[in-house]
């Protein structure tokens, strides 16, 4: 069997668990992120160093067979050996070299003062690799204490952390695909940002925005790229990933950046390292005050500059270098936005391009910002303004925009291309996001300068000048929804206006015969609902049950099957060609070809592109894994293995989980009841305070019962003793007392039984909930072991059909979700017609008159005239 590969999902789950453990130890995201990153890096470099050290030993012995053991040991400790990517000094080694017993035993063995040992290790590792790691590791102190002098992390917590990391072999040959560690680090950064809330915006640009900016700029194979407010580095790494995927190498790419805050600078440096980027030049400092990316005393120039600067920051001119960057001096109070833009423009080559995220205020505020916009437009370098939806970024809910500056061919540019995309997004509980179709639509319209009604258009310089260079996007591309039409006659007399039904014709055309199924002709200019629509609630049922709906769904299903058959040869070649970018491009072209020729498509071109882009995004790591490691059984979900090999176990697990959820819902429902709402008829569960009182009473009664039983036994012994010595005088009194005591015992027993019977249903449900939880734990434990054992027995030939079938299932699921959205949109429009016009004003007045007459009759019966 080949080496067991580490999948991205498993590594992500492990890292998240480590974060949760440190949070449980009392740390927040701002604190524990440094410890997780440092530990991950320490284990990674140690694992790779072991392999490199073995390789160096082989090379040395091969070249110098007469070398003594002492000489060999000395050579292996050569810091600058070409085999070592990072040299790990003895104090930083995870485990000792068994051939040298006197050596440091290794970090993994430490159980006391663990924080001290880890801090020493990080310092030693940084010192040994100062050219790359200077200032990156030494500031992470595992032995930090709080204001009371107590350790933030106990030896117990750190020992467990070491034990957990010790179970992972973080070497390249154990990864599903080469950049797995980089992908895992990106997951960590996103997790840190989500946990940090508003502060997450300081270092993290959401992935959909990063993808959009990458699709807009599309760097060349040898582009020189800079991010002057680089944060954790996501924007430039996305550019690098694009170049590597498209051209097969990013070796000729230049990546530079600058970051102000020390902690975020370290995150960026580590991000580059985890992605295998060794030539990135990342500097620390204030970009506006003191730009560090300088060449021959002048600002370095780049082909592409990209940034998501902090919004509306203060800045200072005291000690500022390279002031010639700025022609327009903004207010130093909360208006640094255009100062960042000017810096970026100053660092662009003559044909360079840039994309920068800006708050909307820079588009319409007056004063120096207005003069700045005038200059950019008159010079022709402001190519495009993209309005983004609200709530995309951590730390702010305000809408943002992307400014695209392009110096190439600026003198011939006639105006500015505006895209208003602020209404098209996926709404989230805490944060909104761009969907794949949104990214496709924006990037396509920008690239082709495509005009779409209420979405995008080119605005010439004369029109912008007439508006005094106010670039408020809605002045030029107003995407406000049309007002809901209302037909007065239909409100008064009934009927469904033909015009409003005709507005839905493009949607109805997708479902053959559905319109005729829902509506029938009425008076001139109006329709009525057909007899099938007895109420609003049946509209959905009629649509989903129609032959037109079934035909439309089958058409797409057939197209997907045809597309998939065309893809199978490409899938077969993926492990051989190893070209994921060209593989996905070929899939996209094939998919577009199958969906482009439909007469009445349910999905427009952007939805179709977006649906498939979402599919590719979901399976990106799978494709990388197959390209790098072949048809690896790790890609088979555990449920698929359980379904095929252990269906009874899976069924029991699902049944227990389902019942557990039902029981928890019952307990939660009762817990939320107000005082006086509970009754024993409607609820099997008893409120917590009442059940506590009842159980306390039962406990008290049982205590009394035991005392009374003890006293009864004592009386019985006394009676027996008297009978043995023939002292009968006191026996009647004792028997009378015993009889009274037994009556009391009987009463107590009955009282306990009554109380227990009253809560028996509740107790049974409590016990059942505990049993379900116990069953789930046992099955989960057994399941994990069983699944891993089963995976080890699955060959690549057996794994392939399971993986491919899963990919096909996900394709159908993804496309169907988009098709369902189209159907729901039509359903909602029909339901709106029902809400608007089914009940007329005449009906309302008639009903009102009927109620008035009934009220008058009641009043007369009560004696009121």
């Amino acid at each position: 069997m080949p080496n067991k590969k580490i999948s991205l999902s498993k590594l992500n789950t492990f890292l998240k668990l480590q974060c949760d453990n440190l949070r449980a130890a009392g740390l927040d995201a701002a604190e524990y992120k440094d410890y997780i990153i440092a530990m991950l890096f320490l284990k990674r470099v140690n694992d790779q160093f072991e392999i490199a050290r073995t390789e160096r030993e082989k090379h040395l012995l091969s070249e110098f067979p007469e070398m003594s053991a002492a000489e060999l040991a000395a050579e292996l400790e050569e810091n600058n050996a070409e085999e070592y990517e990072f040299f790990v000094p003895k104090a930083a080694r995870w485990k000792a070299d068994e051939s040298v017993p006197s050596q440091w035993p290794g970090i993994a063995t430490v159980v006391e003062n663990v924080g001290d040992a880890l801090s020493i290790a990080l310092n030693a590792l940084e010192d040994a690799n100062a050219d790359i790691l200077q200032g990156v590791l030494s500031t992470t102190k595992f032995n930090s204490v709080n204001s009371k002098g107590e350790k933030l992390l106990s030896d117990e917590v750190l020992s467990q952390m070491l034990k957990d990391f010790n179970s992972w072999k973080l070497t390249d040959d154990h990864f599903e695909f080469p950049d797995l560690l980089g992908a895992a680090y990106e997951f960590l950064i996103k997790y840190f940002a989500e946990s940090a809330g508003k502060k997450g915006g300081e270092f993290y640009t959401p992935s959909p925005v990063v993808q959009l900016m990458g699709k807009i700029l599309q760097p060349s194979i040898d582009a020189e790229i800079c991010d002057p407010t680089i944060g954790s580095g996501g924007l430039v790494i996305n550019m690098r990933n694009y170049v590597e995927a498209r051209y097969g190498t990013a070796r000729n790419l230049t990546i530079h950046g600058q970051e102000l805050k020390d902690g975020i600078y370290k995150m960026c440096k580590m991000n580059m390292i985890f992605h295998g980027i060794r030539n990135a030049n990342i500097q620390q400092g204030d970009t506006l005050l003191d730009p560090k990316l300088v060449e021959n005393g002048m600002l370095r120039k780049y082909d592409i500059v990209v940034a998501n600067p902090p919004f509306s920051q203060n800045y200072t001119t005291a000690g500022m270098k390279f002031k010639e960057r700025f022609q327009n001096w903004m207010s130093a109070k909360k208006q640094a936005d255009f100062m960042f833009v000017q810096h970026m423009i100053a660092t662009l080559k003559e044909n360079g391009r840039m994309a920068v995220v800006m708050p909307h205020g820079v588009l319409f505020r007056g004063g120096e910002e207005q003069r700045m916009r005038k200059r950019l437009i008159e010079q022709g370098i402001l190519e495009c303004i993209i309005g983004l939806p609200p709530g995309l970024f951590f730390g702010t809910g305000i809408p943002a925009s992307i400014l695209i500056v392009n110096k190439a061919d600026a003198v011939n540019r006639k105006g500015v291309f505006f895209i208003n995309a602020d209404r098209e997004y996926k709404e989230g509980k805490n944060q909104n996001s761009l969907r794949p179709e949104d990214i496709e639509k924006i990037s396509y319209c920008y690239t082709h300068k495509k005009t779409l009604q209420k979405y995008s258009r080119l605005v010439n310089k004369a029109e912008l000048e007439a508006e005094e260079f106010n670039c408020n996007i809605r002045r030029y591309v107003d995407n406000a929804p049309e007002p809901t039409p209302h037909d007065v006659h239909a409100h008064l007399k009934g009927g469904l206006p033909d015009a409003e039904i005709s507005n839905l014709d493009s949607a109805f055309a997708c479902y053959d015969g559905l319109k005729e199924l829902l509506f029938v002709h009425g008076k001139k200019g109006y329709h009525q609902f057909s007899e099938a629509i007895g109420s609003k609630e049946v509209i959905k049922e009629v649509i989903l049950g129609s032959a037109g709906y079934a035909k439309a769904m089958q058409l797409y299903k057939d197209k997907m099957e045809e597309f998939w058959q065309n893809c199978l040869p490409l899938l077969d070649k993926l492990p051989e060609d190893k070209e994921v970018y060209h593989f996905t491009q070929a899939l996209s072209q094939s998919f577009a070809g199958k969906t482009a020729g439909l007469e009445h498509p349910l999905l427009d071109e952007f939805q179709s592109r977006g649906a498939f882009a979402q599919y590719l995004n979901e399976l990106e790591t799978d494709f990388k894994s197959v390209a790098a490691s072949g048809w690896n059984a790790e890609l088979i979900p555990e449920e698929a293995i359980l379904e095929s090999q252990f269906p009874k176990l899976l069924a029991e697990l699902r049944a227990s989980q389902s019942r557990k959820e039902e029981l928890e819902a019952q307990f939660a429902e009762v817990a939320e009841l107000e005082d006086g709402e509970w009754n024993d008829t409607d609820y099997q569960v008893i409120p917590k305070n009442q059940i506590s009182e009842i159980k306390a009473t039962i406990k008290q009664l049982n205590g009394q019962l035991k005392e009374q039983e003890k006293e009864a036994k004592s009386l019985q012994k006394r009676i027996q003793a008297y009978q043995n010595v023939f002292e009968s005088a006191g026996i009647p009194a004792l028997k009378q007392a015993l009889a009274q005591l037994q009556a009391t015992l009987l009463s107590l027993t009955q009282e306990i039984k009554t109380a227990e019977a009253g809560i028996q249903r509740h107790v049974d449900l409590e016990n059942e909930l505990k049993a379900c939880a116990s069953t789930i734990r046992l099955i989960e434990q057994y399941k994990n072991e069983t699944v891993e054992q089963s995976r080890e027995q699955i060959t690549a030939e057996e794994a392939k059909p399971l993986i491919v079938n899963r990919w096909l299932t996900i394709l159908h699921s993804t496309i169907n979700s988009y098709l369902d959205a189209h159907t729901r949109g039509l359903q909602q429009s029909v339901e709106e017609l029902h809400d608007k016009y089914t009940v007329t004003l005449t009906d309302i007045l008639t009903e009102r008159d009927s109620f008035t007459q009934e009220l008058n009759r009641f009043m007369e019966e009560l004696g009121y005239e």
Side-chain angles (χ1 to χ4, degrees):
M1 293 295 293
N3 285 339
K4 187 176 179 182
K5 300 289 185 178
I6 298 174
S7 69
L8 179 60
S9 61
K10 285 190 176 181
L11 185 54
N12 286 349
T13 300
F14 167 75
L15 293 173
K16 182 178 180 296
L17 177 62
Q18 296 305 308
C19 293
D20 293 342
N21 290 343
L22 292 188
R23 185 189 295 110
L27 275 61
D28 61 27
E31 295 170 313
Y32 68 65
K33 65 179 175 61
D34 291 336
Y35 299 124
I36 296 292
I37 293 169
M39 188 71 82
L40 178 64
F41 181 68
L42 188 60
K43 184 63 167 67
R44 160 65 173 178
V45 295
N46 266 280
D47 288 348
Q48 282 294 109
F49 181 70
E50 275 190 47
I51 294 176
R53 203 164 183 268
T54 301
E55 286 298 313
R56 177 161 176 76
E57 184 176 2
K58 288 179 182 178
H59 292 163
L60 289 170
L61 291 176
S62 173
E63 191 171 351
F64 307 103
E66 303 301 323
M67 181 178 284
S68 68
E71 289 172 330
L72 177 62
E75 285 292 336
L76 290 177
E77 295 300 316
E78 181 63 41
N79 191 327
N80 297 320
E82 62 180 14
E83 291 89 351
Y84 300 155
E85 181 180 11
F86 290 96
F87 177 76
V88 181
K90 292 178 182 179
R93 289 186 189 162
W94 195 263
K95 59 183 181 180
D97 185 345
E98 295 178 0
S99 64
V100 188
S102 61
Q103 210 176 26
W104 153 251
I107 295 167
T109 65
V110 179
V111 292
E112 293 182 355
N113 298 318
V114 184
D116 292 337
L118 285 167
S119 296
I120 290 170
L122 295 181
N123 279 294
L125 187 58
E126 181 179 302
D127 290 343
N129 303 274
D131 56 331
I132 300 177
L133 298 178
Q134 186 65 48
V136 175
L137 297 175
S138 56
T139 53
T140 300
K141 304 294 185 184
F142 278 91
N143 54 359
S144 293
V145 296
N146 59 22
S147 57
K148 298 179 181 178
E150 302 166 334
K151 291 181 179 179
L152 288 179
L153 293 171
S154 68
D155 282 348
E156 182 182 5
V157 169
L158 290 175
S159 293
Q160 184 60 51
M161 195 175 180
L162 286 171
K163 183 179 178 181
D164 291 344
F165 272 90
N166 197 48
S167 63
W168 292 79
K169 191 73 170 175
L170 300 177
T171 54
D172 292 342
D173 60 321
H174 279 74
F175 294 156
E176 268 191 331
F177 55 89
D179 196 31
L180 181 134
L181 206 58
Y185 188 78
E186 287 180 24
F187 165 81
L188 269 181
I189 294 175
K190 181 172 186 266
Y191 185 75
F192 295 150
E194 290 172 343
S195 302
K198 287 186 176 181
K199 290 185 178 179
E202 293 182 349
F203 59 84
Y204 181 74
T205 302
S207 178
V209 178
V210 170
Q211 292 175 37
L212 172 61
M213 296 173 82
K215 287 180 76 70
I216 286 172
L217 293 175
Q218 296 187 16
S220 62
I221 190 171
D222 58 352
E224 297 181 340
I225 303 172
C226 178
D227 183 342
T229 58
I230 198 166
S232 57
L235 285 166
V236 293
I237 286 176
N238 175 260
M239 303 282 178
R240 177 258 188 185
N241 291 344
Y242 167 83
V243 169
E244 186 170 63
R246 179 168 184 176
Y247 301 107
T249 179
R251 195 176 298 112
N252 299 320
L253 206 65
T254 298
I255 293 177
H256 290 181
Q258 185 166 336
E259 171 55 41
L260 173 62
K261 296 190 175 181
D262 177 67
I264 300 173
Y265 164 77
K266 290 193 302 182
M267 288 178 68
C268 181
K269 291 280 285 186
M270 294 301 291
N271 205 0
M272 300 297 159
I273 291 170
F274 279 124
H275 278 89
I277 304 172
R278 296 290 176 268
N279 59 348
N281 180 5
I282 311 300
Q283 299 291 323
Q284 186 179 0
D286 187 325
T287 291
L288 295 183
L289 196 63
D290 183 15
K292 301 290 187 181
L293 299 167
V294 177
E295 190 172 77
N296 298 323
M298 300 179 66
L299 291 176
R300 182 78 152 74
K301 303 280 187 176
Y302 300 93
D303 300 301
I304 287 177
V305 181
V306 61
N308 176 17
F311 287 0
S312 305
Q313 293 287 292
N314 299 332
Y315 74 97
T316 180
T317 59
M320 180 180 280
K321 299 179 181 178
F322 299 99
K323 288 188 176 182
E324 66 275 9
R325 291 173 287 170
F326 309 111
Q327 296 182 41
N328 298 91
W329 289 90
M330 310 299 153
S331 167
K333 183 72 173 175
K334 297 285 187 183
Q335 285 194 10
D337 306 298
F338 264 148
M339 299 299 286
F340 283 112
V341 171
Q342 290 182 91
H343 168 82
M344 293 171 71
I345 292 172
T347 59
L348 273 182
K349 292 181 180 179
E350 288 307 308
N351 61 346
R353 295 174 296 133
M354 60 173 264
V356 57
V357 179
M358 285 279 112
H360 266 316
V362 302
L363 301 178
F364 53 77
R365 288 194 292 251
E368 202 60 41
E369 288 181 308
Q370 180 188 32
R371 287 186 281 275
M372 174 76 183
R373 293 192 300 271
K374 178 177 183 292
R375 180 165 66 86
L376 294 179
I377 292 167
E378 288 180 341
Q379 289 178 353
I381 62 174
L382 181 58
E383 182 185 20
C384 181
I385 297 174
I386 302 169
L388 297 175
L392 294 182
F393 298 90
F394 291 99
T396 178
I398 65 172
S401 58
I402 296 176
L403 306 186
I404 311 295
V405 170
N406 187 354
K407 287 187 175 181
D409 201 34
V411 294
N412 296 317
R413 192 160 287 125
K414 304 300 182 185
V416 178
F417 192 72
F418 281 78
I419 298 175
N420 193 350
D422 66 359
R423 286 189 175 274
E424 300 182 9
Y425 60 95
K426 178 182 179 181
E427 189 171 355
K429 183 177 180 182
N430 299 316
Q431 187 180 12
N432 299 328
S433 63
L434 293 171
R435 302 164 299 181
E437 66 262 35
D438 303 326
I439 296 172
E440 287 292 323
K441 189 172 182 179
I442 294 170
S443 59
Y444 182 86
C445 287
Y446 163 75
T447 302
H448 297 87
K449 300 300 183 288
K450 186 177 180 65
T451 298
L452 293 178
Q453 187 178 9
K454 289 183 172 290
Y455 190 80
S456 60
R457 78 178 180 97
L458 178 67
V459 180
N460 61 48
K461 292 180 180 180
E463 186 175 351
L464 291 166
E465 185 177 6
E467 294 290 340
E468 298 181 329
F469 301 99
N470 184 322
C471 291
N472 192 329
I473 300 172
R474 290 206 174 181
R475 287 193 176 214
Y476 310 104
V477 185
D478 187 357
N479 62 355
E482 297 290 343
T484 303
H486 285 276
D487 186 297
V488 176
H489 180 83
H491 279 305
L492 292 172
K493 302 297 183 181
L496 308 172
D498 289 352
E500 293 188 36
I501 295 175
S502 296
N503 288 340
L504 304 176
D505 279 352
S506 60
F508 278 124
C510 301
Y511 308 96
D512 191 26
L514 179 59
K515 181 177 178 179
E516 292 72 22
L517 195 61
L518 293 170
F519 308 110
V520 295
H521 286 287
K523 54 194 172 185
K524 186 176 180 181
Y526 295 88
H527 276 69
Q528 299 288 346
F529 279 111
S530 67
E531 292 182 2
I533 310 301
S535 66
K536 174 183 173 181
E537 288 67 32
V538 303
I539 291 174
K540 177 180 178 180
E541 180 183 333
V542 170
I543 292 175
L544 298 184
S546 68
Y549 172 79
K551 181 179 177 182
M553 296 300 110
Q554 188 62 46
L555 174 63
Y556 270 87
K557 183 179 180 181
D558 293 343
K559 289 292 182 184
M560 292 306 100
E561 291 292 345
E562 291 174 19
F563 158 73
W564 196 249
Q565 291 303 314
N566 290 346
C567 289
L568 292 179
L570 295 173
L571 297 178
D572 291 337
K573 293 180 181 178
L574 182 57
E576 302 168 13
D577 295 343
K578 302 186 182 300
E579 291 284 352
V580 175
Y581 177 83
H582 295 102
F583 167 75
T584 55
Q585 289 296 107
L587 291 187
S588 298
Q589 290 174 7
S590 178
F591 181 84
K594 286 297 177 184
T595 56
L598 298 178
E599 184 178 359
H600 298 295
L602 275 73
L603 308 181
D604 64 31
E605 63 173 315
F606 302 112
Q607 291 170 326
S608 186
R609 288 170 180 268
F612 199 69
Q614 179 175 317
Y615 172 72
L616 294 179
N617 287 347
E618 185 171 350
L619 293 178
E620 180 182 10
T621 55
D622 278 22
F623 296 151
K624 288 181 179 179
S625 177
V626 171
S629 306
W631 301 101
N632 188 350
E634 289 293 326
L635 294 180
I636 306 171
E638 63 177 29
E639 287 222 352
I641 294 175
L642 290 168
E643 197 74 68
S644 62
Q645 300 187 35
F646 308 98
K648 291 183 179 178
L649 183 70
L650 186 59
E652 185 180 359
L653 176 62
R654 287 172 175 167
S656 296
Q657 288 173 331
S658 176
R659 182 57 178 159
K660 179 173 176 283
E661 290 170 3
E662 289 176 8
L663 293 171
E664 287 174 336
Q666 289 187 45
F667 280 91
E669 181 184 13
V670 169
E672 293 176 1
L673 293 176
E674 300 289 339
D675 290 341
E677 287 187 327
W678 180 84
N679 62 76
D680 59 2
T681 302
D682 296 330
Y683 303 98
Q684 292 181 312
V685 174
I686 301 173
K688 189 175 181 179
N689 59 340
Q690 289 181 238
I691 198 70
S692 298
E693 291 175 5
I694 296 170
K695 286 183 176 180
T697 300
I698 292 173
K699 184 177 180 180
Q700 182 182 3
L701 290 172
N702 276 317
Q704 292 177 11
L705 183 64
K706 286 181 180 179
E707 289 295 324
Q708 298 290 338
E709 286 175 339
K710 184 177 179 181
E711 189 174 343
K713 286 180 181 179
S714 177
L715 282 173
Q716 288 174 339
K717 288 180 180 179
R718 290 173 62 190
I719 292 170
Q720 184 66 42
Y722 283 176
Q723 289 175 340
N724 290 340
V725 296
F726 304 106
E727 293 184 12
S728 58
I731 290 177
L734 290 174
K735 285 186 175 181
Q736 183 179 359
L738 179 61
Q740 291 175 348
L741 199 56
Q742 287 174 334
T744 301
L745 287 172
L746 185 64
S747 175
L748 282 171
T749 301
Q750 187 59 45
E751 195 173 349
I752 290 169
K753 285 183 178 179
T754 301
E756 288 178 339
I759 66 168
Q760 190 59 49
R761 289 184 306 176
H762 179 98
V763 172
D764 289 344
L765 292 177
E766 278 186 328
N767 292 334
E768 186 181 0
L769 181 57
K770 292 176 183 176
C772 284
S774 177
T775 299
I776 290 169
R777 281 195 301 272
L778 290 172
I779 293 177
E780 286 284 359
Q781 183 179 355
Y782 175 71
K783 179 192 75 173
N784 294 337
E785 297 172 358
T786 303
V787 167
E788 290 309 312
Q789 291 172 2
S790 299
R791 274 207 179 98
E792 292 175 3
Q793 305 304 316
I794 298 175
T795 65
E797 292 72 20
E798 294 168 332
K800 180 182 175 182
L802 295 174
I803 296 169
V804 170
N805 287 338
R806 172 172 163 265
W807 290 356
L808 177 58
T809 300
I810 293 174
L811 174 66
H812 283 297
S813 174
T814 303
I815 300 304
N816 286 342
S817 69
Y818 279 78
L819 299 179
D820 290 344
H822 183 278
T823 307
R824 282 197 305 273
L826 179 58
Q827 172 196 327
Q828 290 165 0
S829 296
V830 175
E831 288 175 347
E832 184 180 336
L833 287 173
H834 193 282
D835 289 339
K836 282 164 60 176
Y837 298 123
T838 307
V839 178
T840 66
L841 180 60
T842 302
D843 295 333
I844 296 171
L845 294 175
T846 300
E847 186 177 20
R848 185 199 63 181
D849 292 342
S850 174
F851 282 133
T852 301
Q853 291 173 10
E854 188 173 358
L855 176 62
N856 290 337
R857 188 164 59 253
F858 286 148
M859 297 296 286
E860 288 175 4
E861 290 175 358
L862 292 172
Y864 294 97
E865 296 294 337

